[in-house]
């Protein structure tokens, strides 16, 4: 009897050691994915969710999927950097520690990986126990900045994951940090690489930071349509919230290529289930799993009801313990209250129209440069990263609003160069991070149909091409960021050396009163919207 039981147990182990086929006879791969994490290592308030996201909760979800599935791939589609102070003040060290703990397989380089000097990026790459991928970024010497691809053998099949970073990075990243880099065209790079990877693997996944837009001529849709041989595109950059994959037909093969994104900030965890039959790959399902999100419902009687958007996700205690000291240090150093907001200043529309928060930020820069004779101040809407909530205003909140270490600069421009600058911003259009927010001293009309600025008035008068103007702005734009080349023609440049967020803090203290959101009518938008929102 004992010998029989031993034999039966041995046969059971033999069965369990072989791959368990899917119901239809194929193998299964679960691809978990995130993108645009933007320095959110710990839970945070995202109205109406008081404790959304965070790597400890994400770890619980990932661990649960791995427990139930044999073949799991965990990917991130870029922009790990720049967000909350518990990340920014430590150059994303807590985020990388968390990603290491979760066991990420790979991350593609996003444009915000260049918010810091290359030295910082290389330190991050060295600290990560997973590769940073990008096949289309080269150094001036001709070598690749990062690994181009990853091959992973699951036993039942092999997966190739290659990285692509939006070529727009050369224009939208801090020019000082990318001046020694070359960004190759994404399509040309993929056409060279994909046939090679198809010979190496059963599944080819493009891990991209390119963005999903309305047009098939740009972003990841362009990649899906023009490059044959890609089974799945895991994308980032545009912060797109999906309920189902975006399907794009490849022009050569006729195959429908799925593109997925997982919104932003770790608010959801994307999950794609694939079925593999030899070299044939079939999309089974896609889900965006909420990470402790809540929804707000208004009843007919006017009452508000807050419900869980999904199942509550407990935090991994070990990871929470590891990351909590970073938040504790931030709370200690940035807890000073410097003002009070009677109502919230939203940041939802900073890329589409004038906002009260944009006016406040721009006015603070003009105030700080009054002795330098600035005529007005200009801020890019994409540089304002969070809203100002109702209640006490702390330095931590201002760090979330203005996380970039930009100083305030005054540039002297000829009138014709100023017109060119404003028309460039108008050409970028609504939804772009370059959308202008301006201080008192200037008014303009942005024509969404012609992508031009009209009726520009400085101190109530049209711009005189024969005179010069002084413009206060942030150092990112002053260095030509967001394509603002006209600033590089400045006759004079005066850098205050003061960080934007410190200037905003001083300005709020100077006002000495509770803040009320107010829009001053400095920017008028006419014409139809310019299409899908642009990335951050």
């Amino acid at each position: 009897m004992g010998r029989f039981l031993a034999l039966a147990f041995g046969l059971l182990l033999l069965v369990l050691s072989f791959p368990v086929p899917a119901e239809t006879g194929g193998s299964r791969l679960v691809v978990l994915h995130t993108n645009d994490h933007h320095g959110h290592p710990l839970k945070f308030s995202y109205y109406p969710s008081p404790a959304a996201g965070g790597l400890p909760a994400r770890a619980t979800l990932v661990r649960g999927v791995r427990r139930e599935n044999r073949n799991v791939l965990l990917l991130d589609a870029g922009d790990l950097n720049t967000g909350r102070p518990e990340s920014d003040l430590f150059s994303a060290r807590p985020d990388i520690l968390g990603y290491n703990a979760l066991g990420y397989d790979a991350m593609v380089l996003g444009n915000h990986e260049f918010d810091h000097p290359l030295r910082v990026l290389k330190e991050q790459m060295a600290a990560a126990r997973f590769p940073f991928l990008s096949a289309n970024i080269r150094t001036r010497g001709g070598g690749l900045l990062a690994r181009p691809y990853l091959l992973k053998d699951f036993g039942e099949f092999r997966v190739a994951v290659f990285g692509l970073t939006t070529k727009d990075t050369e224009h939208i990243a801090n020019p000082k940090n990318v001046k020694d880099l070359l960004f190759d065209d994404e399509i040309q790079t993929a056409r060279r690489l994909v046939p090679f990877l198809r010979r190496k693997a059963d599944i080819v996944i493009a891990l991209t930071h390119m963005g999903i837009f309305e047009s098939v001529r740009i972003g990841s849709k362009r990649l899906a349509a023009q490059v044959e041989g890609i089974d799945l595109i895991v994308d980032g950059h545009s912060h797109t919230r999906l309920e189902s994959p975006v399907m794009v037909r490849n022009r050569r093969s006729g195959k429908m290529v799925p593109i997925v994104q997982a919104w932003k900030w770790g608010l959801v965890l994307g999950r794609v289930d694939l079925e593999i039959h030899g070299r044939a790959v079939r999309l089974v399902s896609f889900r965006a799993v909420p990470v402790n999100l809540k929804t707000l419902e208004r009843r007919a009687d006017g009452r508000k009801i807050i419900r869980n958007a999904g199942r509550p996700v407990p935090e991994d205690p070990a990871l929470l313990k590891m990351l909590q000291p970073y938040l504790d240090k931030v709370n200690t150093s940035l807890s000073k209250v410097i003002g009070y907001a009677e109502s919230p200043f939203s940041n939802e529309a900073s890329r589409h129209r004038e906002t009260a928060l944009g006016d406040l930020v721009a006015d603070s820069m003009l105030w700080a440069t009054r002795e330098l004779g600035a005529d007005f101040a200009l801020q890019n809407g994409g540089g304002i990263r969070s809203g100002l909530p109702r209640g006490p205003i702390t330095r931590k909140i201002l760090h979330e609003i203005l996380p970039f270490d930009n100083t305030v600069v005054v540039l002297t421009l000829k009138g014709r160069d100023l017109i060119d600058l404003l028309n460039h911003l108008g050409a970028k259009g609504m939804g772009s991070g370059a959308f202008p927010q301006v201080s008192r001293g200037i008014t303009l009309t942005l024509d969404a149909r012609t992508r031009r600025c009209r009726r520009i008035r400085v101190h109530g008068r049209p711009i005189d091409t024969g005179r010069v103007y002084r413009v206060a702005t942030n150092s990112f734009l002053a260095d030509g960021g967001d394509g603002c080349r006209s600033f590089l023609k400045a006759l004079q440049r005066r850098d205050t050396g003061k960080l934007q967020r410190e200037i905003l803090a001083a300005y709020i203290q100077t006002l000495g009163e509770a803040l009320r959101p107010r829009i001053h009518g400095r920017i008028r938008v006419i014409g139809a919207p310019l299409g899908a929102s642009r990335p951050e």
Side-chain angles (χ1 to χ4, degrees), residues 288-359:
V289 183
V291 185
N292 291 328
L293 280 177
K294 296 183 182 294
T295 60
L296 178 66
E297 299 178 8
R298 286 183 170 84
R299 305 187 76 172
D301 59 7
R303 287 190 300 165
K304 299 177 182 178
I305 298 178
I306 296 178
R307 303 183 187 277
N308 289 323
R311 293 180 180 177
V313 182
E315 294 184 295
D316 179 271
L319 184 53
L320 180 60
K321 183 178 180 180
M322 181 193 302
L323 301 183
Q324 186 64 38
Y326 293 95
L327 181 60
D328 293 341
K329 291 177 183 178
V330 167
N331 288 336
T332 299
S333 62
L334 300 179
S335 60
K336 182 180 178 181
V337 175
I338 59 169
Y340 188 88
E342 286 194 355
S343 300
F345 288 64
S346 173
N347 190 42
E348 292 296 319
S350 64
R351 296 162 181 259
H352 296 269
R353 56 181 178 271
E354 179 185 349
T355 67
L357 184 56
D359 287 357

Side-chain angles (χ1 to χ4, degrees), residues 88 361 364 379 383-386 397-405 500-502 504:
D88 295 348
V361 171
S364 72
Q379 166 69 29
I384 303 173
R385 307 299 288 191
S386 180
I397 290 172
L398 298 189
H399 202 293
E400 294 167 6
I401 293 171
L402 297 172
F404 303 103
D405 289 335
Q500 266 194 290
R501 71 179 76 94
E502 295 303 321
L504 179 58

Side-chain angles (χ1 to χ4, degrees), residues 20 36 221 238 352 355 366 376 430 529:
V20 179
D36 298 282
K221 286 185 179 180
S238 54
H352 296 269
T355 67
L366 181 63
F376 66 92
M430 295 169 60

